[in-house]
Amino acid sequence: MKLSRLKRLPSRVKRAARFEIHAHWRRQPIVLGSVFYESFSGNGMLDNPEALFRELLAAPDLAHLTHIWALSDLHTYRAAVEEFADDPRVSFVRYGSAAYYRALATSQYLVNNATFPFDFSKRPGQVYLNTWHGTPLKRMGYDIEDGALGTANIVRNFVQADYLLAANPFMAEQMYQTGYKLTGIYRGALVEEGYPRIDRQFLDDAGRAEVRAQLTEAGIPLGDRKIVLYAPTWKGQTFGRPEDDLDALLAHIAQVEERIDTSRYAVLLKTHQTVHAMAADRPELKRMLVPNEIPTNQVLGVTDILVSDYSSIFFDFLQTGRPILFFTPDLADYAGTRGLYFEPDEWPGPVLSSARELGDAVAAIAADGDAVPEEARERYAAMRARFTPHEDGHASARIADIVFRGKRDGYRLRTDLADDGREKILLYLGGMRPNGITTSALNLLNNLDHDRYDVSAFFAQSRSGAAIAKQRQIHPAVRQFPRVGGMNGAKLRHLARHLDFRRGRTARHADDPAQNALWDDEWYRCFGDSRFDYVVDFSGYGPFWAILLLHSPDAQRAIWMHNDLAADAHREVNGEKRMLHSLTQLFTLYAEYDHLVSVSPTLSEVNRASLAEYAPAEKFRSALNTVDGEHILESAREDLHELSFDEETGSIPDWAELLLAPDDDVTTFVNVGRLSPEKNQTRLIRAFASVHAENPKTRLLIVGSGPLAGDLEALVASLGLTGSVFLTGMQRNPHAIMAKADCFVLSSDYEGQPMVILEALVLGLPIVTVEFASAKNALPEGSGLVVPQTEEGVADGLRAFLAGRVPASDFDWPAYNRKAVAQFYAAIGAVPAPAELP
């Protein structure tokens, strides 16, 4: 372990130094008139930022501007560095260097076609233009299955941007507004004035000759041949890990060249910039590989026939009116995995599945004078009108007017995306672990009225498979803000913050100007210019998150209380009050919240009384947890044999086999919960032992995992209950097990409003529960049996069920949810509280 820490030390020191450098420059004045550009994390002087840079550099009235480019390698891109070596207005920094963070922190204007890193947070006085990098054919953001998992830094950048650039109405609406869920939250200007990079396609004869000369100088034996440009998209899960499919590309190009007149046409390969480094290392590609430093759109300006697949490059090429072919041998797999916005029969050119077909199609176009194939002309014209309506060669000038000259009148800008008529709710969901709080949060998100409320969820991005599985269950209408990266600021300021926390001085987050600035900056880093009407700490256990939410701009703020929190603070685990310090610090923040919400009326009374020194009585409210009845019933119908089948052993566990026995006349009690002290399964097992001795035709299943698993297994063995009491461990679908049981039993020392009781109610199970503060709130009148919180009390409850004295549940869960959601709206201040609510 020590050796491992030593190995990590250099990287940790380097990371700490980077944060300190960034923090230093974030305290320095903004350099007025400075413009900082970045394309694809520094992979060249490329795309829209490059086109806009040249427009600004050439404008006489903007000669006062200075320009800084981020490049990942100043040697690799030395041609760009050398081109501007004699211009004092232009400089270059290496991506990720100290100079990079200085430019990022102090430049007045920031221009990016992708995203700045996690620690980026726009400062007051900075102007951020995000141009993005193309009209999408491939689905983006939330439009992809599991797309929310990869949106964190993208959405974070978008909500900080003053301007988002759209090439056309489709990109504005489908990608920004829908794909990245900016409708309802984005407060900047969405600019629909065309793409600066497409200006670079407008070449006169001298310009065409210059680009062809650059290609020749790069080692491509072009001569006077026409150009067939093959420009496939990147393949892979992320830009950082593209697939190396160059052998396949070479094979395809060879087959095309066999079927065309290569004395008249040269096939060139334009790889995506994320793949280019791999391609540049392949000597056999030298004769055809387009250098990364030549702007793609200039190459399109000299291209006679474009071959692509799913790349947005074809949208740019539509402006030329020249033919496009689509080579998609993997169409079925790719469309099924990534998804496409347009079906192939809508594309503006033939769609081909083999290289031989592609070669024949290129030859046919050549024979027809390089004309768009007749069968595609109508589609081509329609797409050209739809996707390049503003491409006249002057988009860069219009963007310069809007962003740098402040001329907005007469231009196509939308500044109303945040004003969609819905009130905005932000909920912090907690750690997204598979527990009751996460379940209740997910249920709530499913039950909210998303037509009336714009809802965002906030949580720490996790690599845990269990947490990611829960993240996938977030309602699709909900915008997600996973927190990535960490707080900016000098280490000494953070040390002071930690020391204040240890000393119980939480008020310093607002009272101390330096700490207040740290927290305000972190809020902005996470949410940019977003505004929320209601900010909710639904987890209610972490002081860090509670403080962060208090730094939201004006909003009604509520914090949830899932248990008797004063008791939680003083509860001992292995002789230690592990939550005493953190919860005490949390309690000191309650006075700054507008609403303190418990999950039942009885629990609210308990918390109101025990925490009276921290907040006035009128702040305490209650709102019942909601329940996802449809999901529970659907899960209960799943095949238990299939769910429990172990492929390694080729069998199912004994407990599952017993539950599935068709003529089994044994009464099955079931408990679901974490195997931890507060759930007190020890009491349940001992109570069951006495009942089982009286009635052997009984069994007990305990579903869950936790630190007491070994102790409970030993207890079962010591009481001779092996074969009658089963610890199933964590199960992906406990509802299928509960549905096979006869009675649900809860033996906890304390609960707020246990979700598992709601789940048992939905399944119609008779319920026996010990009496805790809000037990009666958890059970509808006439349902279940509440027994004393003792071993004998639990045993008597089990006997009562065997004697037929515990009624089955009759639970109208849709009506219950309507009541619970109404209570939630009232509890956060969104609607007046009904008279019956405390």
Side-chain angles (χ1 to χ4, degrees), residues 549-599:
L549 295 181
L550 286 171
H551 284 260
S552 66
D554 287 344
Q556 291 202 55
R557 302 181 184 95
I559 188 166
W560 247 243
M561 310 169 85
H562 292 275
N563 269 314
D564 176 348
L565 291 183
D568 273 358
H570 291 88
R571 194 164 281 111
E572 292 188 6
V573 178
N574 297 328
E576 296 181 22
K577 296 180 180 180
R578 296 183 177 179
M579 300 178 70
L580 178 60
H581 180 73
S582 64
L583 282 180
T584 302
Q585 304 317 307
L586 183 68
F587 299 158
T588 65
L589 300 170
Y590 281 173
E592 300 178 62
Y593 274 83
D594 300 294
H595 313 295
L596 310 175
V597 187
S598 297
V599 293

Short mmCIF file of all heavy atoms in Angstrom, two decimals, residues 549-599:
data_model
loop_
_atom_site.label_atom_id
_atom_site.label_comp_id
_atom_site.label_asym_id
_atom_site.label_seq_id
_atom_site.Cartn_x
_atom_site.Cartn_y
_atom_site.Cartn_z
N LEU A 549 -25.58 23.95 -1.83
CA LEU A 549 -26.92 24.33 -2.29
C LEU A 549 -27.35 25.68 -1.72
O LEU A 549 -28.15 26.39 -2.33
CB LEU A 549 -27.93 23.25 -1.90
CG LEU A 549 -27.73 21.89 -2.59
CD1 LEU A 549 -28.81 20.92 -2.15
CD2 LEU A 549 -27.73 22.02 -4.11
N LEU A 550 -26.80 26.06 -0.57
CA LEU A 550 -27.11 27.38 -0.01
C LEU A 550 -26.50 28.51 -0.83
O LEU A 550 -26.85 29.67 -0.63
CB LEU A 550 -26.63 27.46 1.44
CG LEU A 550 -27.46 26.67 2.46
CD1 LEU A 550 -26.77 26.65 3.81
CD2 LEU A 550 -28.87 27.26 2.59
N HIS A 551 -25.59 28.18 -1.73
CA HIS A 551 -24.96 29.21 -2.57
C HIS A 551 -25.62 29.32 -3.94
O HIS A 551 -25.07 29.97 -4.84
CB HIS A 551 -23.47 28.94 -2.68
CG HIS A 551 -22.72 29.31 -1.44
ND1 HIS A 551 -22.01 30.48 -1.31
CD2 HIS A 551 -22.62 28.68 -0.24
CE1 HIS A 551 -21.50 30.55 -0.10
NE2 HIS A 551 -21.85 29.47 0.57
N SER A 552 -26.78 28.72 -4.08
CA SER A 552 -27.55 28.95 -5.30
C SER A 552 -28.05 30.38 -5.32
O SER A 552 -28.27 30.98 -4.26
CB SER A 552 -28.75 28.00 -5.35
OG SER A 552 -29.65 28.30 -4.30
N PRO A 553 -28.24 30.96 -6.50
CA PRO A 553 -28.92 32.26 -6.55
C PRO A 553 -30.31 32.13 -5.93
O PRO A 553 -30.79 31.03 -5.69
CB PRO A 553 -28.98 32.55 -8.06
CG PRO A 553 -27.85 31.76 -8.64
CD PRO A 553 -27.78 30.51 -7.82
N ASP A 554 -30.97 33.26 -5.72
CA ASP A 554 -32.23 33.28 -4.98
C ASP A 554 -33.15 32.14 -5.36
O ASP A 554 -33.48 31.93 -6.53
CB ASP A 554 -32.96 34.61 -5.22
CG ASP A 554 -32.28 35.75 -4.48
OD1 ASP A 554 -31.47 35.46 -3.58
OD2 ASP A 554 -32.55 36.92 -4.82
N ALA A 555 -33.57 31.37 -4.34
CA ALA A 555 -34.47 30.24 -4.53
C ALA A 555 -35.03 29.88 -3.16
O ALA A 555 -34.48 30.25 -2.13
CB ALA A 555 -33.73 29.05 -5.13
N GLN A 556 -36.14 29.15 -3.15
CA GLN A 556 -36.60 28.54 -1.91
C GLN A 556 -35.81 27.25 -1.72
O GLN A 556 -35.74 26.43 -2.64
CB GLN A 556 -38.10 28.26 -1.94
CG GLN A 556 -38.95 29.51 -1.92
CD GLN A 556 -40.36 29.23 -1.43
OE1 GLN A 556 -40.57 28.69 -0.36
NE2 GLN A 556 -41.33 29.61 -2.27
N ARG A 557 -35.25 27.08 -0.53
CA ARG A 557 -34.36 25.94 -0.30
C ARG A 557 -34.96 25.03 0.77
O ARG A 557 -35.37 25.50 1.84
CB ARG A 557 -32.98 26.43 0.11
CG ARG A 557 -32.34 27.36 -0.92
CD ARG A 557 -30.96 27.82 -0.50
NE ARG A 557 -30.40 28.77 -1.46
CZ ARG A 557 -30.49 30.09 -1.34
NH1 ARG A 557 -31.10 30.60 -0.29
NH2 ARG A 557 -29.97 30.88 -2.25
N ALA A 558 -34.98 23.73 0.47
CA ALA A 558 -35.53 22.75 1.39
C ALA A 558 -34.51 21.64 1.59
O ALA A 558 -33.75 21.30 0.68
CB ALA A 558 -36.83 22.17 0.84
N ILE A 559 -34.50 21.08 2.80
CA ILE A 559 -33.62 19.95 3.09
C ILE A 559 -34.45 18.85 3.74
O ILE A 559 -35.32 19.10 4.56
CB ILE A 559 -32.44 20.39 3.99
CG1 ILE A 559 -31.42 19.26 4.12
CG2 ILE A 559 -32.91 20.88 5.35
CD1 ILE A 559 -30.08 19.70 4.69
N TRP A 560 -34.19 17.61 3.32
CA TRP A 560 -35.00 16.46 3.75
C TRP A 560 -34.42 15.82 5.02
O TRP A 560 -33.21 15.86 5.26
CB TRP A 560 -35.07 15.43 2.63
CG TRP A 560 -36.45 15.28 2.06
CD1 TRP A 560 -37.24 14.17 2.08
CD2 TRP A 560 -37.22 16.29 1.39
NE1 TRP A 560 -38.46 14.42 1.48
CE2 TRP A 560 -38.47 15.72 1.05
CE3 TRP A 560 -36.99 17.62 1.08
CZ2 TRP A 560 -39.47 16.42 0.39
CZ3 TRP A 560 -37.99 18.33 0.42
CH2 TRP A 560 -39.21 17.74 0.08
N MET A 561 -35.30 15.22 5.78
CA MET A 561 -34.94 14.56 7.03
C MET A 561 -35.58 13.17 7.00
O MET A 561 -36.78 13.02 7.26
CB MET A 561 -35.43 15.39 8.22
CG MET A 561 -35.02 16.87 8.10
SD MET A 561 -35.84 17.96 9.30
CE MET A 561 -34.75 17.74 10.69
N HIS A 562 -34.77 12.16 6.67
CA HIS A 562 -35.30 10.82 6.44
C HIS A 562 -35.41 10.00 7.72
O HIS A 562 -35.93 8.88 7.69
CB HIS A 562 -34.44 10.08 5.43
CG HIS A 562 -34.53 10.65 4.04
ND1 HIS A 562 -35.51 10.31 3.15
CD2 HIS A 562 -33.76 11.58 3.41
CE1 HIS A 562 -35.35 10.97 2.03
NE2 HIS A 562 -34.29 11.76 2.16
N ASN A 563 -34.90 10.53 8.82
CA ASN A 563 -34.93 9.79 10.09
C ASN A 563 -35.03 10.77 11.25
O ASN A 563 -35.07 12.00 11.06
CB ASN A 563 -33.67 8.94 10.25
CG ASN A 563 -33.85 7.54 9.68
OD1 ASN A 563 -34.86 6.89 9.92
ND2 ASN A 563 -32.86 7.09 8.93
N ASP A 564 -35.06 10.21 12.45
CA ASP A 564 -34.89 10.99 13.67
C ASP A 564 -33.41 11.37 13.72
O ASP A 564 -32.57 10.61 14.17
CB ASP A 564 -35.29 10.13 14.87
CG ASP A 564 -35.06 10.83 16.21
OD1 ASP A 564 -34.38 11.87 16.23
OD2 ASP A 564 -35.53 10.29 17.22
N LEU A 565 -33.09 12.56 13.22
CA LEU A 565 -31.69 12.90 12.99
C LEU A 565 -30.92 13.16 14.28
O LEU A 565 -29.71 12.91 14.35
CB LEU A 565 -31.59 14.10 12.05
CG LEU A 565 -32.02 13.80 10.61
CD1 LEU A 565 -31.84 15.02 9.73
CD2 LEU A 565 -31.25 12.63 10.03
N ALA A 566 -31.56 13.67 15.29
CA ALA A 566 -30.86 13.84 16.56
C ALA A 566 -30.45 12.48 17.11
O ALA A 566 -29.33 12.32 17.63
CB ALA A 566 -31.76 14.57 17.56
N ALA A 567 -31.34 11.48 16.97
CA ALA A 567 -30.98 10.12 17.40
C ALA A 567 -29.87 9.56 16.52
O ALA A 567 -28.96 8.90 17.02
CB ALA A 567 -32.21 9.23 17.34
N ASP A 568 -29.94 9.82 15.22
CA ASP A 568 -28.87 9.38 14.32
C ASP A 568 -27.51 9.91 14.77
O ASP A 568 -26.51 9.20 14.76
CB ASP A 568 -29.14 9.88 12.89
CG ASP A 568 -30.02 8.93 12.10
OD1 ASP A 568 -30.38 7.87 12.64
OD2 ASP A 568 -30.34 9.26 10.94
N ALA A 569 -27.50 11.18 15.14
CA ALA A 569 -26.23 11.82 15.52
C ALA A 569 -25.60 11.16 16.74
O ALA A 569 -24.37 11.07 16.83
CB ALA A 569 -26.45 13.31 15.78
N HIS A 570 -26.42 10.69 17.65
CA HIS A 570 -25.89 10.13 18.90
C HIS A 570 -25.88 8.61 18.91
O HIS A 570 -25.52 8.00 19.92
CB HIS A 570 -26.71 10.66 20.10
CG HIS A 570 -26.51 12.12 20.36
ND1 HIS A 570 -27.26 13.10 19.74
CD2 HIS A 570 -25.60 12.77 21.13
CE1 HIS A 570 -26.84 14.29 20.14
NE2 HIS A 570 -25.84 14.13 20.99
N ARG A 571 -26.25 8.00 17.79
CA ARG A 571 -26.29 6.54 17.74
C ARG A 571 -24.87 5.99 17.62
O ARG A 571 -24.06 6.47 16.82
CB ARG A 571 -27.14 6.09 16.56
CG ARG A 571 -27.52 4.62 16.62
CD ARG A 571 -28.67 4.34 15.67
NE ARG A 571 -29.94 4.77 16.26
CZ ARG A 571 -30.67 5.79 15.83
NH1 ARG A 571 -30.25 6.50 14.82
NH2 ARG A 571 -31.81 6.08 16.41
N GLU A 572 -24.55 5.00 18.42
CA GLU A 572 -23.21 4.43 18.44
C GLU A 572 -23.12 3.21 17.53
O GLU A 572 -24.03 2.39 17.49
CB GLU A 572 -22.81 4.03 19.87
CG GLU A 572 -22.64 5.21 20.80
CD GLU A 572 -22.07 4.80 22.15
OE1 GLU A 572 -21.72 3.61 22.30
OE2 GLU A 572 -21.97 5.66 23.04
N VAL A 573 -22.04 3.12 16.80
CA VAL A 573 -21.70 1.95 15.99
C VAL A 573 -20.30 1.52 16.42
O VAL A 573 -19.34 2.29 16.28
CB VAL A 573 -21.74 2.27 14.48
CG1 VAL A 573 -21.32 1.03 13.67
CG2 VAL A 573 -23.12 2.74 14.06
N ASN A 574 -20.22 0.32 16.97
CA ASN A 574 -18.95 -0.19 17.51
C ASN A 574 -18.34 0.79 18.52
O ASN A 574 -17.13 1.06 18.52
CB ASN A 574 -17.95 -0.46 16.38
CG ASN A 574 -18.43 -1.55 15.45
OD1 ASN A 574 -19.12 -2.48 15.87
ND2 ASN A 574 -18.08 -1.43 14.18
N GLY A 575 -19.22 1.37 19.33
CA GLY A 575 -18.75 2.25 20.38
C GLY A 575 -18.43 3.66 19.96
O GLY A 575 -17.97 4.46 20.76
N GLU A 576 -18.68 4.01 18.69
CA GLU A 576 -18.36 5.34 18.19
C GLU A 576 -19.61 6.03 17.66
O GLU A 576 -20.44 5.40 16.99
CB GLU A 576 -17.32 5.27 17.06
CG GLU A 576 -15.97 4.74 17.48
CD GLU A 576 -15.00 4.73 16.31
OE1 GLU A 576 -15.23 5.49 15.34
OE2 GLU A 576 -14.03 3.96 16.35
N LYS A 577 -19.73 7.30 17.95
CA LYS A 577 -20.79 8.11 17.36
C LYS A 577 -20.28 8.70 16.05
O LYS A 577 -19.87 9.86 15.97
CB LYS A 577 -21.21 9.21 18.34
CG LYS A 577 -21.83 8.68 19.62
CD LYS A 577 -22.24 9.81 20.56
CE LYS A 577 -22.84 9.26 21.83
NZ LYS A 577 -23.25 10.34 22.77
N ARG A 578 -20.31 7.88 15.01
CA ARG A 578 -19.63 8.23 13.76
C ARG A 578 -20.27 9.41 13.02
O ARG A 578 -19.62 10.06 12.21
CB ARG A 578 -19.61 7.00 12.84
CG ARG A 578 -18.79 5.85 13.42
CD ARG A 578 -18.72 4.69 12.46
NE ARG A 578 -17.89 3.60 12.98
CZ ARG A 578 -17.68 2.45 12.34
NH1 ARG A 578 -18.24 2.25 11.15
NH2 ARG A 578 -16.93 1.52 12.88
N MET A 579 -21.54 9.65 13.27
CA MET A 579 -22.21 10.72 12.53
C MET A 579 -22.40 11.98 13.36
O MET A 579 -22.97 12.96 12.88
CB MET A 579 -23.58 10.22 12.04
CG MET A 579 -23.50 9.02 11.12
SD MET A 579 -25.11 8.42 10.61
CE MET A 579 -25.63 9.75 9.53
N LEU A 580 -21.90 11.98 14.59
CA LEU A 580 -22.17 13.10 15.48
C LEU A 580 -21.63 14.42 14.93
O LEU A 580 -22.34 15.42 14.88
CB LEU A 580 -21.57 12.83 16.87
CG LEU A 580 -21.73 13.96 17.89
CD1 LEU A 580 -23.21 14.24 18.15
CD2 LEU A 580 -21.02 13.60 19.20
N HIS A 581 -20.36 14.42 14.48
CA HIS A 581 -19.76 15.68 14.03
C HIS A 581 -20.43 16.19 12.76
O HIS A 581 -20.86 17.36 12.69
CB HIS A 581 -18.27 15.50 13.78
CG HIS A 581 -17.59 16.75 13.30
ND1 HIS A 581 -17.35 17.82 14.12
CD2 HIS A 581 -17.15 17.12 12.06
CE1 HIS A 581 -16.77 18.79 13.43
NE2 HIS A 581 -16.65 18.39 12.18
N SER A 582 -20.57 15.32 11.76
CA SER A 582 -21.11 15.79 10.48
C SER A 582 -22.56 16.22 10.62
O SER A 582 -22.97 17.25 10.05
CB SER A 582 -20.97 14.72 9.40
OG SER A 582 -21.74 13.59 9.71
N LEU A 583 -23.35 15.48 11.37
CA LEU A 583 -24.75 15.87 11.52
C LEU A 583 -24.89 17.13 12.37
O LEU A 583 -25.75 17.98 12.09
CB LEU A 583 -25.56 14.73 12.13
CG LEU A 583 -25.93 13.60 11.17
CD1 LEU A 583 -26.73 12.51 11.88
CD2 LEU A 583 -26.71 14.13 9.98
N THR A 584 -24.05 17.29 13.38
CA THR A 584 -24.12 18.52 14.17
C THR A 584 -23.82 19.73 13.30
O THR A 584 -24.48 20.77 13.40
CB THR A 584 -23.13 18.46 15.34
OG1 THR A 584 -23.44 17.33 16.16
CG2 THR A 584 -23.21 19.73 16.18
N GLN A 585 -22.83 19.58 12.39
CA GLN A 585 -22.54 20.68 11.46
C GLN A 585 -23.71 20.92 10.52
O GLN A 585 -24.03 22.07 10.19
CB GLN A 585 -21.27 20.38 10.66
CG GLN A 585 -20.04 20.09 11.50
CD GLN A 585 -19.90 21.04 12.66
OE1 GLN A 585 -19.92 22.26 12.49
NE2 GLN A 585 -19.77 20.49 13.86
N LEU A 586 -24.35 19.84 10.12
CA LEU A 586 -25.52 19.98 9.25
C LEU A 586 -26.64 20.73 9.97
O LEU A 586 -27.29 21.60 9.38
CB LEU A 586 -26.00 18.59 8.82
CG LEU A 586 -27.17 18.55 7.84
CD1 LEU A 586 -26.75 19.09 6.48
CD2 LEU A 586 -27.70 17.12 7.70
N PHE A 587 -26.86 20.39 11.24
CA PHE A 587 -27.94 21.04 11.99
C PHE A 587 -27.73 22.56 12.05
O PHE A 587 -28.70 23.33 12.02
CB PHE A 587 -28.01 20.49 13.42
CG PHE A 587 -28.31 19.01 13.50
CD1 PHE A 587 -27.97 18.28 14.64
CD2 PHE A 587 -28.91 18.34 12.45
CE1 PHE A 587 -28.23 16.93 14.73
CE2 PHE A 587 -29.17 16.97 12.52
CZ PHE A 587 -28.82 16.27 13.66
N THR A 588 -26.48 23.00 12.14
CA THR A 588 -26.22 24.44 12.23
C THR A 588 -26.58 25.18 10.94
O THR A 588 -26.66 26.41 10.94
CB THR A 588 -24.75 24.72 12.58
OG1 THR A 588 -23.91 24.27 11.51
CG2 THR A 588 -24.34 24.02 13.87
N LEU A 589 -26.78 24.43 9.87
CA LEU A 589 -27.16 25.04 8.59
C LEU A 589 -28.67 25.16 8.43
O LEU A 589 -29.15 25.84 7.52
CB LEU A 589 -26.60 24.22 7.42
CG LEU A 589 -25.08 24.08 7.37
CD1 LEU A 589 -24.69 23.04 6.32
CD2 LEU A 589 -24.42 25.41 7.06
N TYR A 590 -29.43 24.49 9.29
CA TYR A 590 -30.88 24.45 9.12
C TYR A 590 -31.51 25.83 9.15
O TYR A 590 -32.49 26.09 8.43
CB TYR A 590 -31.50 23.58 10.21
CG TYR A 590 -31.40 22.09 9.97
CD1 TYR A 590 -31.80 21.18 10.95
CD2 TYR A 590 -30.91 21.58 8.78
CE1 TYR A 590 -31.72 19.81 10.74
CE2 TYR A 590 -30.82 20.22 8.55
CZ TYR A 590 -31.23 19.33 9.54
OH TYR A 590 -31.15 17.98 9.34
N ALA A 591 -30.95 26.72 9.94
CA ALA A 591 -31.54 28.06 10.02
C ALA A 591 -31.50 28.79 8.69
O ALA A 591 -32.30 29.70 8.43
CB ALA A 591 -30.82 28.88 11.09
N GLU A 592 -30.57 28.39 7.80
CA GLU A 592 -30.44 29.05 6.50
C GLU A 592 -31.36 28.46 5.45
O GLU A 592 -31.49 29.02 4.35
CB GLU A 592 -28.98 28.98 6.04
CG GLU A 592 -28.00 29.64 7.00
CD GLU A 592 -26.56 29.50 6.53
OE1 GLU A 592 -26.24 30.03 5.44
OE2 GLU A 592 -25.77 28.85 7.24
N TYR A 593 -31.97 27.32 5.76
CA TYR A 593 -32.92 26.71 4.83
C TYR A 593 -34.33 27.22 5.12
O TYR A 593 -34.67 27.56 6.25
CB TYR A 593 -32.87 25.18 4.95
CG TYR A 593 -31.80 24.56 4.07
CD1 TYR A 593 -30.48 24.49 4.49
CD2 TYR A 593 -32.10 24.08 2.80
CE1 TYR A 593 -29.49 23.96 3.69
CE2 TYR A 593 -31.13 23.54 1.98
CZ TYR A 593 -29.82 23.49 2.42
OH TYR A 593 -28.85 22.96 1.61
N ASP A 594 -35.14 27.26 4.09
CA ASP A 594 -36.52 27.74 4.25
C ASP A 594 -37.44 26.65 4.80
O ASP A 594 -38.37 26.95 5.54
CB ASP A 594 -37.06 28.22 2.89
CG ASP A 594 -36.23 29.34 2.32
OD1 ASP A 594 -36.23 30.44 2.92
OD2 ASP A 594 -35.56 29.13 1.29
N HIS A 595 -37.17 25.39 4.40
CA HIS A 595 -38.07 24.30 4.77
C HIS A 595 -37.26 23.08 5.20
O HIS A 595 -36.32 22.68 4.51
CB HIS A 595 -38.97 23.92 3.59
CG HIS A 595 -39.60 25.09 2.91
ND1 HIS A 595 -40.51 25.92 3.52
CD2 HIS A 595 -39.44 25.60 1.65
CE1 HIS A 595 -40.87 26.88 2.68
NE2 HIS A 595 -40.23 26.71 1.54
N LEU A 596 -37.64 22.50 6.34
CA LEU A 596 -37.01 21.30 6.86
C LEU A 596 -38.06 20.20 6.81
O LEU A 596 -39.04 20.21 7.56
CB LEU A 596 -36.54 21.53 8.30
CG LEU A 596 -35.72 22.82 8.53
CD1 LEU A 596 -35.41 22.99 10.01
CD2 LEU A 596 -34.44 22.79 7.71
N VAL A 597 -37.86 19.25 5.90
CA VAL A 597 -38.95 18.35 5.51
C VAL A 597 -38.67 16.92 5.98
O VAL A 597 -37.71 16.28 5.53
CB VAL A 597 -39.15 18.36 3.98
CG1 VAL A 597 -40.39 17.55 3.61
CG2 VAL A 597 -39.28 19.79 3.47
N SER A 598 -39.50 16.42 6.87
CA SER A 598 -39.44 15.03 7.30
C SER A 598 -40.37 14.19 6.43
O SER A 598 -41.28 14.72 5.78
CB SER A 598 -39.84 14.90 8.77
OG SER A 598 -38.95 15.60 9.61
N VAL A 599 -40.16 12.86 6.46
CA VAL A 599 -40.90 12.00 5.53
C VAL A 599 -42.17 11.44 6.13
O VAL A 599 -42.79 10.55 5.54
CB VAL A 599 -39.99 10.86 4.99
CG1 VAL A 599 -38.89 11.43 4.12
CG2 VAL A 599 -39.41 10.04 6.14
#
